[in-house]
Amino acid sequence: MSYCPSRFQTIRRPTLEVKVGAVGVGGTNPLRIQSMTTSDTQDVAATVRQCIALAEVGCEIVRITAPNVPAARCLRDIRAQFTAAGFGSVPLVADIHFLPSAAMEAVEHVEKVRVNPGNYADKKKFAVREYSDADYGQEMERLHEAFSPLVLRAKALGRSLRIGTNHGSLSDRIMNRYGDTPLGMVESALEFLRIAESHGFKQTILSMKASNPKVMIQAYRLLVERMQQEAMHYPLHLGVTEAGDGEDGRIKSAIGIGSLLLDGLGDTIRVSLTEDSVYEIPVARAIADKAMSLWSAPSRDAGTDSIDPFHFTRRETNVVQLGDSVTVGPEQPPRVIVRVGSTTRLPHALAQLSAGRLKDTPAEGILVDLDSAADLAVLPAAGAGRFLALELAPAVTADELAGPAARLAPGTMLVRTFTADEGAALGAFARLVQRHPLVLAAQIAPADFPGLDECLQQVGDARLVFALPLPSGSAGHAVGAYRQLAEQLLRLGSRAPIWIRNTAATAVQGDNSFLSKLLEASFLTGSLLCDGLGDLVSIETEADPARATQLAYNVLQGAGARISRTEFVACPSCGRTLFDLQTTTQRIREKTGHLKGVKIAIMGCIVNGPGEMADADFGYVGGAPGKINLYVGKQCVQYNLPQAEADARLIALIKEHGKWADPAPVPA
Ligand code: SF4
């Protein structure tokens, strides 16, 4: 692949080292963890307190917004007081939008300056106009003039820069030529990077953030490919913007950041949550530790990879019917399977999974262990709208099941691992599932496929699903092993669906916490879904089947693969925020969280919010202190509403646009 050495194991991309004060980023340095303060920058004492709190929980680089020159001037005192408190080695970064004058002030006081190439020295309103080559050339000259003083001053002072592109705030110039595409994001950064290089300045880090993990992943991949072509080797800062809070925010961040880290990209990360910044650090630490534990030297030729990593396309599959009404196939969202364990636990689990709160997010497949054919006699039915998946113990043979299998509901799935020398067993199970008719989930390690080719070609796809045996036995990571599985199916011409199994065996470090399980599921399932792979999903590390089901739906929602409730896009807040983002987000979530397929953005300020919320259906944006602007799409339809009225008006707008549904009554 042109953007990374391997998509099957994690080989770190070689980069230049950039010094952010005393902290090295890229090169041979570990992944660096960073975050941002949310206080008003001109409240120096509060900002210093937040810097200290972040540093004390392990934040290695602290960013502070500098929305104007007076705020940038305050960075001098913040730096001095932070150093006096014993944190001289923790670098500070100024976050700049629009104002070169603020950047020129900030660079005097802090170790790094982040500029947004979409609005640095640019107009605040998007204008639709054509740019001839001559116009474009003039714009480049204007940009050169505007950005060069900052580059030269940073060079003289030994500071570093970040060119931080955001999907939602690209310049008119870029939007008119490339649209708000990953390519546009990359070109936006390269314009600035070339100016820095023209001055011999190499202390630059780049980022390509978006609230949609798929867009963000594609943009970073494309950026690296373009830099390779121009022999540029700058480190990357990874992040998903407006990820939101709670489980959703963690999942979205882990999908976007984790997917890139698995491919060896990324040198510093920020997990943006709509929570107090200190809560970002343990999540970022866990993600970084998992990724670093996978860094390895190239160990083998893993073969080809046919996926186009720069454009999303879902892998084409056959339609497979599971149970009486669950269809898997190209027109269907990925289906959710929950693991229950032994057959004795099945009645209790079925009762639990039928509880009212799971109505909109049902477990469609129930996975139970089948230790012997005799257990089929006492197996309850899965119930309407569900199918049973029976994980067969190695000793259970197709012959033994031949008689009792007649009692199974059509579309029941038999799950069995086959090794390279088990062609005869595979053939026997294939005949069994055709006769009854059932579905076979064949778990085959990619390396074992060649031994089973002939048999698989005879079996055909009509009643087949594929998964990996666990543990996968792959020298790389589980995402790489699933990619290899997809390659084997392509080689065979098989269009059978792929089932992504998240089990304890896919865990990297044996960490049993819920956060670890959530991150593992996001890394594995999210990365594959963003590559267009995966038709069934199971999260099998949670003792509580209802909780595991919910987590599976949340990961599907985070990857944009199956939308089962309202999607919230909320900025993490910063010194520009005009209302309490955390309580507002929670309040709006309580009122609108049941709306399937509606996307609502909650943004702290007007300067940056409307651009950042990209493709939301409705927007709730801070317009002035105590005042809210409401948006439908990118159009502002209500200006400066008193905050007390804004929730009701937002709901009225959702109703006016036909996207409202009353919440389901809470079961007694
Ligand atoms: S949208 Fe939120 S995080 Fe972004 S600048 Fe405005 S207040 Fe800060």
Side-chain angles (χ1 to χ4, degrees), residues 54-177:
L54 279 168
E56 282 178 340
V57 292
C59 179
E60 296 172 281
I61 300 171
V62 180
R63 184 156 47 114
I64 303 169
T65 191
N68 49 42
V69 174
R73 231 174 259 134
C74 289
L75 294 172
R76 182 186 47 207
D77 292 344
I78 294 168
R79 176 69 273 177
Q81 291 181 28
F82 191 38
T83 300
F87 297 97
S89 62
V90 178
L92 296 179
V93 182
D95 196 61
I96 305 289
H97 294 271
F98 299 114
L99 292 179
S101 52
M104 292 304 292
E105 177 68 31
V107 75
E108 300 294 324
H109 312 305
V110 293
E111 287 75 14
K112 186 170 98 178
V113 176
R114 177 267 170 133
V115 298
N116 179 344
N119 60 28
Y120 191 77
D122 249 310
K123 289 186 289 298
K124 298 189 180 188
K125 272 205 161 62
F126 174 66
V128 179
R129 54 167 291 202
E130 288 302 313
Y131 283 81
S132 66
D133 287 351
D135 292 340
Y136 212 91
Q138 273 176 7
E139 277 286 289
M140 286 299 96
E141 276 172 33
R142 187 180 68 81
L143 214 60
H144 198 280
E145 248 173 59
F147 187 47
S148 289
L150 179 65
V151 173
L152 292 170
R153 192 64 187 145
K155 191 174 176 185
L157 292 170
R159 310 297 201 210
S160 52
L161 297 176
R162 171 159 67 96
I163 299 171
T165 307
N166 278 6
H167 181 221
S169 54
L170 296 172
S171 66
D172 295 356
R173 191 175 54 255
I174 290 290
M175 288 285 277
N176 284 304
R177 195 161 270 205

Side-chain angles (χ1 to χ4, degrees), residues 257-336:
I257 296 171
S259 172
L260 292 160
L261 290 174
L262 286 176
D263 285 346
L265 310 187
D267 305 283
T268 174
I269 66 173
R270 187 208 172 183
V271 171
S272 304
L273 298 176
T274 312
E275 298 176 19
D276 290 349
S277 311
V278 288
Y279 295 118
E280 296 177 356
I281 303 305
V283 186
R285 184 77 268 157
I287 290 175
D289 287 348
K290 282 179 196 300
M292 288 193 288
S293 74
L294 289 168
W295 283 349
S296 56
S299 65
R300 70 209 155 94
D301 175 14
T304 53
D305 185 5
S306 310
I307 287 172
D308 174 354
F310 308 117
H311 302 96
F312 175 80
T313 319
R314 190 169 170 196
R315 175 179 169 263
E316 287 188 18
T317 65
N318 290 336
V319 172
V320 173
Q321 190 70 35
L322 289 160
D324 58 359
S325 59
V326 180
T327 307
V328 178
E331 304 296 322
Q332 308 301 328
R335 301 302 188 179
V336 172

Side-chain angles (χ1 to χ4, degrees), residues 36 65 95 97 166 242 270 570-578 581 602-610 612 621:
M36 194 167 178
T65 191
D95 196 61
H97 294 271
N166 278 6
E242 287 76 47
R270 187 208 172 183
C571 81
S573 89
C574 72
R576 296 175 192 262
T577 309
L578 290 162
L581 254 163
I602 302 154
M603 297 288 164
C605 79
I606 193 172
V607 176
N608 220 14
E612 304 274 2
V621 181

